[in-house]
Structure formats: C-alpha cells, structure tokens
Amino acid sequence: MLRVAVPNKGSLSEIAAEMLAEAGYSGRRDSRKLVHRDTRNDVEFFYLRPRDIATYVGSGALDVGITGRDLLLDSGSDAYEIAQLDFGDSTFRFAAPAGAYDGIEGLQDQRVATSYPKLVDDFLRKRGVEAKTVKLDGAVESAVELGVADAVADVVSTGATLASAGLEIFGPVILESTAVLIGGPNRHGGVDRLLRRLRGVLVARKFVMVEYDLQESRLAAATEIAGGIESPTVSPLREEGWVAVRVMIPADDANEVMDQLADIGARAILVTAIHAARL
C-alpha cells in the first residue's frame, strides 16, 4: 500500500485535498482524523504538519508527500522533488528598514529573522555571506522593531505587510516556491500511478475542449488558430464540404479562440471542461 503524506492544515491543505479528490482518491471526512485508508486505490493517507512532511518522507517512513518546495529545502532531509503541482505559490525576499542595505553583502555578521533558517543560511553562504539567522515561527516582520533582528527573510505577496512594519524589500529573490510532490529513498511502485493521476488533474485544470463545425476548405486556417496538443480530431458531416472538429486548447485562450474561429466561419462552437486526462 502506498503511504502518502498530506498537509493537515495551512494554505496547502485544502487545495491538496481537492487535487487528490479530482485524481480519484477518497479522503478523510473528519478533520481530526490523522490517517485515512483508501482501499480501492491501495493508498494510505497520513495528515501531518506541512513542515514535518519532508522529514517523514526523507526518512523512508512514508513513500511520498505533498508539501511546499520551501519546506522541503528548509528541512535538510533526504526527500527530493518529484514534480511541481502548481499551487501554493510564494516568493521569499529579504526586507529591512528603508535604506539600511543596498544588497545582501550588507548582511555580513547581521541578524536575519526567518521561519526558514536553513533555506536562508544556504542561500547566503552560497553567495559568501555569513549572517546569524534568528528562527521565528511567524510574524517575522516585527523582529526588527522589537530588536531581535536587523533584517528579515519572509514570504512576500504584495509587500504590504512588510511596508506596514516599516520595512522595504531588497536584494535578490531567495526562492520561488510552490507545492511539490516529494519522494524518499525507496521508490514505491504506486508512485508512478499517483503521479500520472496528479498530472492528469493539472492538464484538466489548464485545458478545455473546443468543438465546432467548419467548411473543410477553411480547416488549415482553423488549425493555425487552434492546433491542439497534437492535432485536431476531424470528422466529416452529412452536409457535404463540412467537418466537425474537436481540439484541446489552454483554458485561458478559450474566448479569443472562439472569436477567431467565428471570424473564419465556424459555427456551433462549444467549449467544455476536462475533468480528467492522460497525455
């Protein structure tokens, strides 16, 4: 049975559960439940603190897990990234009082508050900077004002939280993080099946199916507009000289593609969602 670690709370938890459900797996119904066995798919799910997942997987106690790339790198475990799952995106940056530092070189022998000490230490040392990291579990933006640190390294979205604490961003991006599927020292045979399913969910979320009728003489122009993953599926219609076309396109392009197809004479243009896929 494949043993899978899933975040039990936090920003990754809900979306990870939704993704697994879309991939055909059953999940826990009680949020207090720590283990759920999906006997139909021969999978056992363990609901753990996101920060602990890489440690469990890296030790071989569990086969795979879903966690953040930031948490994986900060763990120092033997777990490794198998695939990017494209949710839970975050950006890590340095921040300090306005004008305090021109670049990270100024952090030499300074105190840097962060929830990710190993990640920050590794980043600075690779660039020849030795700083003292101060580990905090949250609200690191208050560390400078309270005299605990000279600068901070934290997740940044708009930068509004840091600005409200009198801090400004400086230096390079530390890490662009996202949710990832991670593996451990022993590759379980069920990992490939799980990975195929999760990739199928990613495809289904990003693409839609477009169907339309078109004069066959205009098929080349339509293919230029929407060529699909490989090529469109074309079937003859009863009306001579007309064909029915099905093609998979990026969901974000759907309305533009429909407009362009209508401009060249396509009719009965329909767009449908894809619920699962294997490419």
Side-chain angles (χ1 to χ4, degrees), residues 90-94 104 119 123 127 154 156 169-177:
S90 58
T91 303
F92 286 78
R93 300 293 302 270
F94 292 104
I104 61 171
L119 179 63
F123 181 86
R127 289 154 182 81
D154 199 15
V156 175
I169 295 167
F170 71 96
V173 172
I174 303 168
L175 177 71
E176 297 282 0
S177 185

Side-chain angles (χ1 to χ4, degrees), residues 75-151:
S75 72
S77 77
D78 291 331
Y80 64 95
E81 181 176 326
I82 296 175
Q84 183 172 305
L85 299 178
D86 294 343
F87 69 88
D89 295 349
S90 58
T91 303
F92 286 78
R93 300 293 302 270
F94 292 104
Y101 302 99
D102 293 328
I104 61 171
E105 296 78 14
L107 293 176
Q108 180 70 33
D109 299 325
Q110 299 289 287
R111 300 167 300 166
V112 181
T114 182
S115 299
Y116 299 82
K118 184 180 185 305
L119 179 63
V120 174
D121 273 339
D122 289 347
F123 181 86
L124 290 173
R125 285 173 183 163
K126 286 178 181 177
R127 289 154 182 81
V129 178
E130 293 287 339
K132 179 184 177 182
T133 52
V134 179
K135 186 180 185 307
L136 297 175
D137 286 333
V140 299
E141 64 273 4
S142 301
V144 175
E145 182 180 357
L146 295 175
V148 174
D150 304 297

Side-chain angles (χ1 to χ4, degrees), residues 145-273:
E145 182 180 357
L146 295 175
V148 174
D150 304 297
V152 303
D154 199 15
V155 175
V156 175
S157 52
T158 64
T161 302
L162 293 173
S164 67
L167 305 177
E168 69 173 8
I169 295 167
F170 71 96
V173 172
I174 303 168
L175 177 71
E176 297 282 0
S177 185
T178 190
V180 293
L181 181 70
I182 64 172
N186 303 311
R187 181 88 172 192
H188 189 285
V191 172
D192 291 336
R193 184 185 187 201
L194 171 64
L195 183 57
R196 280 196 304 270
R197 289 193 179 194
L198 292 177
R199 283 177 170 162
V201 171
L202 292 175
V203 170
R205 288 179 171 183
K206 292 178 180 178
F207 289 85
V208 292
M209 189 68 71
V210 178
E211 302 178 70
Y212 58 92
D213 298 342
L214 184 74
Q215 286 183 326
E216 189 171 9
S217 61
R218 298 177 181 173
L219 187 56
T223 303
E224 286 294 322
I225 295 169
I229 298 297
E230 294 180 352
S231 62
T233 299
V234 181
S235 305
L237 293 175
R238 177 176 295 180
E239 186 175 353
E240 187 175 350
W242 282 77
V243 292
V245 183
R246 298 180 75 238
V247 63
M248 187 184 297
I249 66 168
D252 291 344
D253 297 341
N255 282 291
E256 179 65 24
V257 167
M258 292 175 75
D259 290 341
Q260 292 184 41
L261 290 173
D263 287 343
I264 64 169
R267 64 191 189 191
I269 307 171
L270 304 175
V271 176
T272 55

